Amino acid sequence: MAKLGKRTRAAREAAAGKENLTVEEAVSLVKGNANAKFDETIEIALNLGVDTRHADQMVRGTVVLPNGTGKTMRVAVFARGDKADEAKEAGADIVGAEDLMQAIQGGEINFDRCIATPDMMPIVGRLGKILGPRNLMPNPKVGTVTPDVKAAIEAAKGGEVQFKAEKGGVVHAGIGKASFDEAKLVENVRTFCDAVAKAKPSGAKGSYMQKISLSSTMGPGVTIDVAAATAQA
């Protein structure tokens, strides 16, 4: 077994036995343990009582975090003509059509969010096997297939987070940086949990939100009391 460094040991000792904390307690502990040489991302994971093999139990959606994510979002847009010009003016990092498709097929995926106008979907559809597994495929359900590319770009760059239940019913997302004030992280956590709660699918039975964990990129995780996370301050 690899020998743990002093920082890692101290972080684990600080988190040991800490379960079902309030949001404020969890944020304070995780933020305090984020001592890496870079600005660690604060990550949240929610274990949901859903079976994603069934369409009526899939959980997905978007939420705009009130204090942003702290991440610079690179946005690619599939558009032509006036919509391409609109996308460039709105701050899109990459704009194209067939040329963008070919670049992606060649392995150039230099973006974090992909947006497309509806008329571009015959082209974008060819990229499903590439973008789908990376959760980058434009989808009208989360507002990334839209004629209003300006609004979609502004949302992406303004702190919007997409979430989708993975295999096993886990929803995972980054909700800020360790450098954020504790109050801002608390607000982001509550906003994210509230959005996932509201996205409860019709087919979900029994206990929906079963476990919530908070951690930093390099730090150990702690669990948050579900009722405390969904209660409004």
Side-chain angles (χ1 to χ4, degrees), residues 164-231:
K164 179 181 178 181
E166 304 166 358
K167 185 177 180 181
V170 177
V171 169
H172 175 269
I175 52 85
K177 294 289 186 178
S179 58
F180 282 22
D181 291 340
E182 287 187 18
K184 291 183 177 181
L185 288 171
V186 167
E187 190 176 12
N188 278 0
V189 168
R190 290 190 183 280
T191 299
F192 186 82
C193 290
D194 185 57
V196 175
K198 290 179 178 176
K200 181 179 179 179
S202 60
K205 307 297 181 184
S207 175
Y208 172 57
M209 201 172 288
Q210 299 180 340
K211 181 180 178 181
I212 302 174
S213 300
L214 196 71
S215 64
S216 63
T217 305
M218 303 296 290
V222 296
T223 59
I224 298 175
D225 180 77
V226 172
T230 53

Side-chain angles (χ1 to χ4, degrees), residues 4-215:
L4 298 177
K6 291 182 179 179
R7 187 194 65 79
T8 301
R9 288 201 309 271
R12 291 190 177 184
E13 288 171 2
K18 303 293 177 64
E19 299 180 353
N20 295 324
L21 306 177
T22 65
V23 177
E24 290 80 6
E25 289 171 338
V27 164
S28 179
L29 183 57
V30 170
K31 178 178 166 68
N33 281 334
N35 298 315
K37 293 181 180 180
F38 62 94
D39 193 6
E40 296 182 53
T41 296
I42 304 301
E43 303 173 356
I44 192 168
L46 292 83
N47 293 64
L48 307 178
V50 297
D51 186 343
T52 56
R53 294 175 297 178
H54 301 289
D56 66 345
Q57 294 189 48
M58 175 52 68
V59 178
R60 74 182 306 160
T62 61
V63 57
V64 176
L65 298 180
N67 303 298
T69 63
K71 179 180 180 180
T72 300
M73 186 69 68
R74 298 167 299 171
V75 178
V77 178
F78 280 90
R80 285 196 182 99
D82 292 343
K83 289 298 179 182
D85 294 337
E86 181 183 331
K88 292 174 183 177
E89 291 175 3
D93 299 278
I94 306 169
V95 181
E98 286 85 359
D99 56 333
L100 179 53
M101 176 190 72
Q102 292 168 3
I104 293 172
Q105 289 175 329
E108 295 182 33
I109 305 177
N110 304 315
F111 52 86
D112 308 295
R113 181 72 56 85
C114 188
I115 296 165
T117 55
D119 60 301
M120 289 284 99
M121 289 313 292
I123 293 175
V124 179
R126 303 177 201 175
L127 301 170
K129 291 184 178 179
I130 300 174
L131 298 180
R134 294 174 170 82
N135 201 27
L136 290 171
M137 189 68 179
N139 189 313
K141 293 182 179 179
V142 294
T144 48
V145 177
T146 174
D148 193 351
V149 293
K150 180 180 179 181
I153 293 167
E154 290 176 347
K157 289 183 172 288
E160 182 182 75
V161 173
Q162 294 183 355
F163 59 85
K164 179 181 178 181
E166 304 166 358
K167 185 177 180 181
V170 177
V171 169
H172 175 269
I175 52 85
K177 294 289 186 178
S179 58
F180 282 22
D181 291 340
E182 287 187 18
K184 291 183 177 181
L185 288 171
V186 167
E187 190 176 12
N188 278 0
V189 168
R190 290 190 183 280
T191 299
F192 186 82
C193 290
D194 185 57
V196 175
K198 290 179 178 176
K200 181 179 179 179
S202 60
K205 307 297 181 184
S207 175
Y208 172 57
M209 201 172 288
Q210 299 180 340
K211 181 180 178 181
I212 302 174
S213 300
L214 196 71
S215 64

